[in-house]
Amino acid sequence: MTVFTVRAPASSANLGPGFDSLGLSVPLYTTVKVTPGDVTEVVPHGPELEGTPADKSNYVYGAMLLVARRTGLTLPPARVEITTEVPLARGLGSSAAALVAGIVAANELLGRPLDDHAVLDVAAREEGHPDNVAPALFGGIVVATLDKLGTHYVRLDPPANLGVTVLIPDFELSTSKARAVLPREYSRADAVHALSHAALLAAALSQGRLDLLRHAMQDYIHQIWRAPLVPGLSDILEDAWRHGALGAALSGAGPTVLCFHDNRESTEPLHTYLNSVMKKNGLDGRVMDFPIDTRGTLIEREG
């Protein structure tokens, strides 16, 4: 077999009310280069992966083994080199990008025994929800479900002129810690609020109704409970629209915050506002603009 590279993008999940079911793809990438050989080597590269295992206990290689177990096949030996642009534990789907890249790499190494739907199912069941892995795999905006009947999804092309601005604070927040603060039960009113706003958000994104995003992205399921873990989040959710944001949400479990913007307009006022929120709360971080990645996971072969 020839040498090949798999590149999987970062993702932002939930987008407010779409808890565990809605996400989009962001052009920061985890790359896995596979060189078939006589022995298996796992080689993480770069500062983001410093300290991660350089052996078969590495998360990416563990993802590759999921495909072997699903198919009953044996992974042939290979050198697996891993790099990433996705900051870890920031709410940008770093684990999902690594998982998808590993699964797709193993599937390629084994001759593609799994189709795209089966690849998604393996990834979603390992993560426990499809909101990050689906956009990482397919790109764009994805609405997905996971239940005992399977994994199902609808992919949406991003509306014209829709871009994202992300505020990435310089501190980590584990998904387990962010999930631990969520209540076990919700009121009927909160459930209705979540269902109606998630439905409106999906419909607005599918029809390019940018004017509805600020209203549709309201959430009572997870953001209000996680706000104490992310200084300044409540202010941004309340006021970002006054500075050019079309809507704002906690990205995944956080601490990154995502704002939609109209890419025909300057984002300078929004950047100024987000930086002022960080300064007010004694935080450092980055504010960056991105298009929505529309290609998802790509495979490139050498030679």
Side-chain angles (χ1 to χ4, degrees):
M1 289 187 66
T2 59
V3 178
F4 65 89
T5 299
V6 176
R7 191 179 74 165
S11 53
S12 179
N14 302 327
L15 307 182
F19 186 64
D20 280 1
S21 61
L22 181 60
L24 58 80
S25 182
V26 179
L28 295 168
Y29 301 98
T30 292
T31 302
V32 176
K33 181 179 180 180
V34 179
T35 306
D38 297 325
V39 296
T40 294
E41 301 175 86
V42 180
V43 186
H45 294 294
E48 289 288 355
L49 298 179
E50 186 175 351
T52 58
D55 55 31
K56 290 183 179 181
S57 68
N58 186 282
Y59 187 68
V60 169
Y61 194 78
M64 296 176 72
L65 291 174
L66 293 173
V67 178
R69 288 199 287 271
R70 176 77 168 242
T71 61
L73 301 173
T74 300
L75 284 175
R79 178 179 173 89
V80 179
E81 299 177 72
I82 310 159
T83 59
T84 191
E85 302 170 328
V86 189
L88 306 186
R90 296 295 202 284
L92 285 170
S94 58
S95 65
L99 179 65
V100 167
I103 290 171
V104 171
N107 197 47
E108 189 73 11
L109 190 59
L110 290 169
R112 301 191 184 182
L114 302 180
D115 62 16
D116 286 348
H117 201 111
V119 167
L120 173 61
D121 191 68
V122 171
R125 293 192 184 283
E126 178 65 16
E127 278 268 290
H129 39 84
D131 53 349
N132 284 111
V133 294
L137 184 59
F138 300 119
I141 300 167
V142 184
V143 185
T145 61
L146 170 66
D147 55 39
K148 63 182 179 181
L149 299 179
T151 309
H152 304 280
Y153 72 95
V154 173
R155 181 193 178 280
L156 306 174
D157 284 322
N161 306 312
L162 184 65
V164 297
T165 298
V166 292
L167 163 61
I168 309 174
D170 282 344
F171 70 91
E172 296 184 358
L173 177 58
S174 70
T175 300
S176 58
K177 182 176 180 180
R179 283 190 177 266
V181 301
L182 301 181
R184 286 185 166 277
E185 297 179 349
Y186 294 93
S187 69
R188 179 185 298 179
D190 284 349
V192 170
H193 184 280
L195 291 168
S196 60
H197 285 74
L200 181 62
L201 179 56
L205 290 168
S206 69
Q207 296 191 8
R209 290 291 304 276
L210 304 187
D211 59 304
L212 291 176
L213 295 181
R214 178 164 69 93
H215 307 287
M217 292 170 74
Q218 296 179 58
D219 167 72
Y220 295 158
I221 293 295
H222 70 107
Q223 292 183 156
I224 59 171
W225 306 100
R226 289 169 166 170
L229 302 177
V230 183
L233 174 61
S234 295
D235 290 341
I236 294 171
L237 296 179
E238 185 72 24
D239 294 328
W241 67 274
R242 303 179 191 274
H243 304 273
L246 296 171
L250 185 65
S251 180
T256 292
V257 181
L258 175 141
C259 297
F260 283 126
H261 67 254
D262 186 327
N263 57 28
R264 295 168 297 186
E265 306 290 338
S266 171
T267 57
E268 185 176 350
L270 181 57
H271 281 231
T272 299
Y273 169 68
L274 294 174
N275 279 305
S276 73
V277 172
M278 277 198 294
K279 183 177 180 180
K280 175 183 174 182
N281 287 278
L283 299 175
D284 292 318
R286 294 170 285 166
V287 178
M288 307 172 72
D289 292 335
F290 291 111
I292 297 171
D293 172 276
T294 57
R295 297 189 293 175
T297 297
L298 299 177
I299 304 168
E300 295 181 1
R301 288 193 168 274
E302 295 186 9

